[in-house]
Amino acid sequence: MTYTTLTPFFCFVFIVLFIGCSQHTGATKRDTDSLTTGITDDSATEPVSVSTADTTDVPDTADLKKDSGDADTQSEATDSGNNIDSESGSEHRFDSDTDSGDDGDTTAGSDSDTSPDTASAADTTDSIDTVSETVDPCAAGYWDHDDDSTTNCVPLTNERYTSPVMGLLFTCALRESDQNAQCWGKRFEDYLSPPAGVPLSSLVAGGYHACGIRADNSKAVCFFDNFYGQSDPPSDVAFSILAAGVFQTCGIRADDGTVLCWGQNDFGQLDNIPTDISFSTLVSGDFHFCGIRKEDGEAQCWGQDSAAVSDTPTGVKFTSLTADGYHSCGVRQSDSIIQCWGEETDGMLKPPRDIAFVEVHTASGFTCGKRELESPVECWGYPTNGQLDVPADADYASWNVGHGHGCGVRRSDGQIECWGNNEGGQLEAPNGGAYIQISATASHACAIRVEDNSVHCFGSNTKGQTVPPDDGPYLAVTTGSTFSCAIRAADHTAVCWGDAYAPEGVQFSALAAGYNHTCGIRLEDSTVQCWGRTTDGRTLAPEGIPFTQIVAGSRHTCGLRMSDSIAQCWGYDKNGESTAPEDVVFSSISAGGFHTCGIRENSGEVLCWGQNTSGQLDAPMGVAFSKLDAGPGGSCGIRKNDRHLECWGDDIYLSSNGAPEEFQFKELAVASTFNCGIRDPDSSMYCYGQIVVNQF
């Protein structure tokens, strides 16, 4: 089903502002071979490196009943010195960059000064910045993994899908591998999340909610918006079929075929339910339902008093039904011709004449059908947003249409393909790809594709941080709070997008982004140049010292000296994050919010220093690692012996149980609520999150 535009009468705005945490990671300049893969430009042969800072801007505010733009609120991180530290990925994840430590110190390390920082043209204030613009949704191939109010979009491995369904600006499908629900598009303020680890036999989508039938016991489970109780199915009833309207849901009982409904009834959509009649099929419009009666194969409709209900044909048997806002259609049993009834708008009641169809779906303003099971989908109605422009010669094993858009599962590879309105990112299906390198923050991330070394970003876009310029290919990418930077392959210069800038005409071999600052290793002499916010001395790189690697935490920076591979740090040091061990030789280092870790050259073991409120410094003893990435509340590493992930620190964010033991990795990125790795050997992306495990 789909939905007509809702009037302000039932548009309720719920604004919930959360402020997230930040995290910072790094990668070594020495490990550079994979970063130049696919680059043919002769000038792009210099090894490069990247460090990422995982920082959180405030989640997009959600309007449950209309799209009126998202608000994002930001500020830099608070260091309280206790176990509720914000930029180290702790529980509160509050970014204010003021120091209110246990010792009562309110000045040391504070970014609350009123004078502007001359080093950053884009970052001159610590005040909360409220953005009223509409935030772009997750990019193609990525989805908001944890279904909370924060937009955290992450990439997926290649996956086959079934049963696509469409809500208002979102799309869901069942993964073929485990039959779990997966959704993408515009995120609303969710009350319930898709059930993790619960196989579903079917899936339906309403206006702001979705429901499925459990494969194990045929009971209904619903998720997303539950304002009217539309996501509260009876717990003791097994269903064979579900149908979801804008704010209401109905199902056919598995035992006797009768109908049971729940949710809103303000417009009579649950009135006159035929409780004593058995149905074989059930569909929903905005505020009405229709079913095919078992006894005679005819259609019967109920709900809001409209032509979609009162004009239901009599004496006509149907093999299938579909419904949208205020009209319904069915495939006649006698001749497979489509017959429609309800309100006539934009030709929706005028399907192709004398043409037999085997399957039909209708949506707000348009209807689509298939003449044969393996024939292309064709659509008719009002072409406002390309909803009639079905991909040519597309062969879909299953398909559906929604509010101004449609999606199909390609028979050839099981991937999702969509067309039509993409206002909420509902066309951007989670199909995977191969990647060289990924840089993740709590609010957005960027990755470099294997095929063309282009940068692909996803997540919160409050400052344009997920829209890279089209002047690639790129050698490396790094992400800060509300910005991203990359090194161009053509000339090794840095380019930044979002709320940041890059120095002009300077060539770099490596970049590292902190919360509101960036540092790079100059190509000509391997010395470090920093720019951005200057508070705490985070941009005061030592002069004349060449480095092989650079990493950035929230408010501090570290590098590996070329002369002796010993770490040297500068910037904020209240927790000891900038006090590196003086006599330890490292092969690589990585910086989290307020801690830093390094891999020992001689043994491969990890040594950490800085804040330890969540066990950030408790690296496993006797374990050798080949890769390391530090997050806000802990770190993860790739073990040398088996290339599996192992994590330590705050279990809320870092539990490595989300990564299957059989998976092997060659790169990783730790964010505040999800972790990602590039798998070995196929370079596909696998991610797991705080709540939903194995969802990516």
Side-chain angles (χ1 to χ4, degrees), residues 189-374:
E189 185 62 33
D190 303 337
Y191 289 88
L192 300 171
S193 298
V198 178
L200 302 176
S201 61
S202 65
L203 192 64
V204 297
Y208 299 91
H209 74 295
C211 297
I213 295 177
R214 294 178 59 117
D216 56 354
N217 58 20
S218 297
K219 293 182 180 180
V221 291
C222 300
F223 42 94
F224 300 153
D225 180 30
N226 193 35
F227 189 79
Y228 294 102
Q230 66 267 42
S231 293
D232 280 336
S235 59
D236 57 349
V237 178
F239 293 94
S240 60
I241 293 176
L242 295 176
V246 176
F247 303 125
Q248 65 283 334
T249 312
C250 289
I252 296 178
R253 291 185 178 93
D255 55 357
D256 60 9
T258 59
V259 172
L260 178 65
C261 301
W262 57 94
Q264 188 200 56
N265 194 34
D266 291 358
F267 307 100
Q269 58 266 50
L270 303 188
D271 290 345
N272 305 313
I273 300 173
T275 57
D276 57 348
I277 297 177
S278 295
F279 291 87
S280 61
T281 297
L282 182 65
V283 296
S284 174
D286 278 2
F287 302 107
H288 76 282
F289 292 86
C290 294
I292 296 177
R293 295 193 297 258
K294 279 187 176 181
E295 58 181 3
D296 58 12
E298 295 187 19
Q300 181 170 341
C301 301
W302 64 93
Q304 187 179 40
D305 186 16
S306 67
V309 174
S310 60
D311 291 347
T312 305
T314 58
V316 180
K317 298 180 184 294
F318 293 94
T319 58
S320 65
L321 293 177
T322 183
D324 85 326
Y326 299 100
H327 83 285
S328 305
C329 296
V331 176
R332 293 198 301 248
Q333 187 181 99
S334 60
D335 55 11
S336 295
I337 300 297
I338 294 175
Q339 182 173 343
C340 300
W341 61 95
E343 292 186 2
E344 170 57 77
T345 305
D346 304 319
M348 289 184 295
L349 303 187
K350 299 176 181 179
R353 298 184 61 181
D354 302 324
I355 296 177
F357 286 86
V358 297
E359 186 178 6
V360 62
H361 297 288
T362 188
S364 179
F366 74 111
T367 304
C368 301
K370 289 186 72 170
R371 302 187 189 192
E372 302 293 340
L373 288 177
E374 297 186 5

Side-chain angles (χ1 to χ4, degrees), residues 116-124 501 516 530-534 539:
D117 290 324
T118 58
S120 173
D123 181 12
T124 58
Y501 69 98
N516 277 319
C530 298
W531 61 94
R533 179 164 291 182
T534 60
T539 59

Side-chain angles (χ1 to χ4, degrees), residues 301-542:
C301 301
W302 64 93
Q304 187 179 40
D305 186 16
S306 67
V309 174
S310 60
D311 291 347
T312 305
T314 58
V316 180
K317 298 180 184 294
F318 293 94
T319 58
S320 65
L321 293 177
T322 183
D324 85 326
Y326 299 100
H327 83 285
S328 305
C329 296
V331 176
R332 293 198 301 248
Q333 187 181 99
S334 60
D335 55 11
S336 295
I337 300 297
I338 294 175
Q339 182 173 343
C340 300
W341 61 95
E343 292 186 2
E344 170 57 77
T345 305
D346 304 319
M348 289 184 295
L349 303 187
K350 299 176 181 179
R353 298 184 61 181
D354 302 324
I355 296 177
F357 286 86
V358 297
E359 186 178 6
V360 62
H361 297 288
T362 188
S364 179
F366 74 111
T367 304
C368 301
K370 289 186 72 170
R371 302 187 189 192
E372 302 293 340
L373 288 177
E374 297 186 5
S375 66
V377 174
E378 52 189 290
C379 303
W380 57 91
Y382 190 54
T384 54
N385 294 292
Q387 59 263 54
L388 307 187
D389 301 331
V390 186
D393 301 323
D395 182 16
Y396 298 127
S398 61
W399 62 283
N400 210 329
V401 295
H403 184 83
H405 75 291
C407 292
V409 177
R410 292 196 299 259
R411 196 182 304 275
S412 60
D413 58 8
Q415 299 290 289
I416 299 284
E417 186 172 52
C418 301
W419 66 93
N421 179 28
N422 195 35
E423 181 182 349
Q426 59 268 42
L427 307 189
E428 296 165 357
N431 302 320
Y435 301 88
I436 300 172
Q437 176 238 326
I438 183 172
S439 168
T441 76
S443 60
H444 79 286
C446 295
I448 295 181
R449 291 188 179 100
V450 168
E451 57 180 339
D452 57 5
N453 278 69
S454 62
V455 169
H456 191 82
C457 299
F458 42 95
S460 177
N461 194 41
T462 56
K463 301 288 187 180
Q465 62 264 41
T466 61
V467 185
D470 188 19
D471 60 354
Y474 297 97
L475 297 178
V477 65
T478 184
T479 50
S481 58
T482 54
F483 67 94
S484 307
C485 298
I487 298 176
R488 295 186 183 96
D491 57 10
H492 283 263
T493 59
V495 58
C496 297
W497 55 96
D499 192 16
Y501 69 98
E504 296 183 1
V506 181
Q507 293 182 310
F508 293 97
S509 62
L511 292 178
Y515 188 83
N516 277 319
H517 77 288
T518 308
C519 295
I521 297 178
R522 295 188 187 98
L523 186 61
E524 61 175 349
D525 58 8
S526 296
T527 59
V528 171
Q529 179 175 340
C530 298
W531 61 94
R533 179 164 291 182
T534 60
T535 314
D536 308 313
R538 66 190 81 174
T539 59
L540 298 179

Side-chain angles (χ1 to χ4, degrees), residues 598-618:
I599 297 178
R600 294 175 182 264
E601 178 73 46
N602 57 356
S603 65
E605 294 182 336
V606 171
L607 175 65
C608 301
W609 60 95
Q611 190 180 66
N612 197 34
T613 55
S614 302
Q616 300 99 304
L617 310 188
D618 300 334

Side-chain angles (χ1 to χ4, degrees), residues 153-165:
C153 303
V154 295
L156 299 151
T157 57
N158 290 318
E159 177 67 85
R160 298 178 67 93
Y161 297 90
T162 63
S163 307
V165 296

